Amino acid sequence: MAQGLSVVTHPLLLATYILLLLLAVNPYLFGVNSLSERRPLILIVFGSSFLMPGLVIVMMRGLDIIPDITMPNRDDRTLPLIAAGALYMGLFAFCRKAPDVPVAYTALLLGCSVALFSAFFANLFTKISLHAVGMGGLIAAVLVTIQLFAYDRLTVDLPGGRHLEVSLTMVLLATLWLAGLVGTVRLYLRAHELTDVIGGYVVGFVAMAIAVWAYF
């Protein structure tokens, strides 16, 4: 279960989760009426921010550039982080030029890129928890959605054409709980020390907040 949670909360999924959040909160930002109408954009973001970096990591493992795809050692993560950062900046440049991608998502995507590069620099000194970086960035993204964009609820489509409205305050509380659970799991798996997890939260949250503030 701990390994499974680590997979579904992988930091490279942050850009996709933020996109789904904004689409659920206000699909009209993207010029559509429902989340499903932006499936091509979701696939582009998922492919560019998760599948392609994952493929690069697998190729590095195949070429013996890294000893293991889990990258247990701090030095193993240097090249993968650089490659992932380059792909994220390419995705940011694409979304910035795309007419159907709102500024709100572009700003948050910049935050994801800044968080990734911040994690790279932090990784030069300590094996910072990348999962915690992702969760810190997600918490900041939810707060930005509430405070800066003044949204207060999201809509979840249910079978049978029904809809469920959820307060973003509840989403924030759930995100905080999930962040704590992810940090606990990373400690349980002995992948990090407590300082690495706490540092990850701080780096992810601050990087996202500063990037969005600077963008606007």
Side-chain angles (χ1 to χ4, degrees):
M1 290 179 64
Q3 292 287 5
L5 181 63
S6 294
V7 171
V8 298
T9 58
H10 195 282
L12 292 179
L13 289 169
L14 178 61
T16 303
Y17 288 152
I18 290 176
L19 175 60
L20 294 175
L21 171 68
L22 285 182
L23 278 167
V25 168
N26 187 359
Y28 304 110
L29 276 174
F30 297 81
V32 296
N33 296 317
S34 65
L35 185 151
S36 60
E37 295 179 54
R38 272 286 171 255
R39 190 172 290 115
L41 177 60
I42 296 172
L43 292 176
I44 289 173
V45 171
F46 178 73
S48 300
S49 63
F50 182 75
L51 291 183
M52 290 181 65
L55 179 61
V56 169
I57 292 172
V58 171
M59 291 175 61
M60 287 183 178
R61 175 64 189 94
L63 295 171
D64 288 328
I65 297 175
I66 56 175
D68 194 297
I69 60 172
T70 61
M71 296 171 285
N73 301 315
R74 177 171 58 85
D75 295 339
D76 299 337
R77 305 193 295 179
T78 302
L79 289 177
L81 282 172
I82 293 174
L87 289 169
Y88 265 66
M89 290 307 298
L91 178 61
F92 167 71
F94 166 79
C95 289
R96 189 178 183 185
K97 297 290 185 181
D100 57 346
V101 178
V103 175
Y105 181 65
T106 305
L108 291 170
L109 185 57
L110 176 62
C112 294
S113 304
V114 173
L116 191 56
F117 280 109
S118 299
F120 164 76
F121 285 111
N123 186 70
L124 298 176
F125 306 99
T126 182
K127 189 189 173 186
I128 193 169
S129 171
L130 300 180
H131 280 79
V133 171
M135 295 310 301
L138 185 59
I139 292 170
V142 176
L143 280 173
V144 165
T145 303
I146 296 172
Q147 298 296 326
L148 188 59
F149 305 137
Y151 297 129
D152 61 353
R153 62 186 61 250
L154 62 79
T155 302
V156 179
D157 294 330
L158 299 176
R162 294 175 296 175
H163 305 284
L164 173 66
E165 290 192 347
V166 181
S167 166
L168 277 184
T169 301
M170 294 302 298
V171 174
L172 177 60
L173 292 175
T175 304
L176 289 168
W177 175 82
L178 180 62
L181 181 61
V182 170
T184 302
V185 162
R186 301 308 291 167
L187 293 174
Y188 172 77
L189 293 173
R190 297 183 180 179
H192 296 283
E193 300 293 333
L194 180 60
T195 53
D196 299 329
V197 173
I198 295 175
Y201 291 142
V202 173
V203 167
F205 185 91
V206 172
M208 178 68 74
I210 290 177
V212 173
W213 174 80
Y215 196 85
F216 286 100

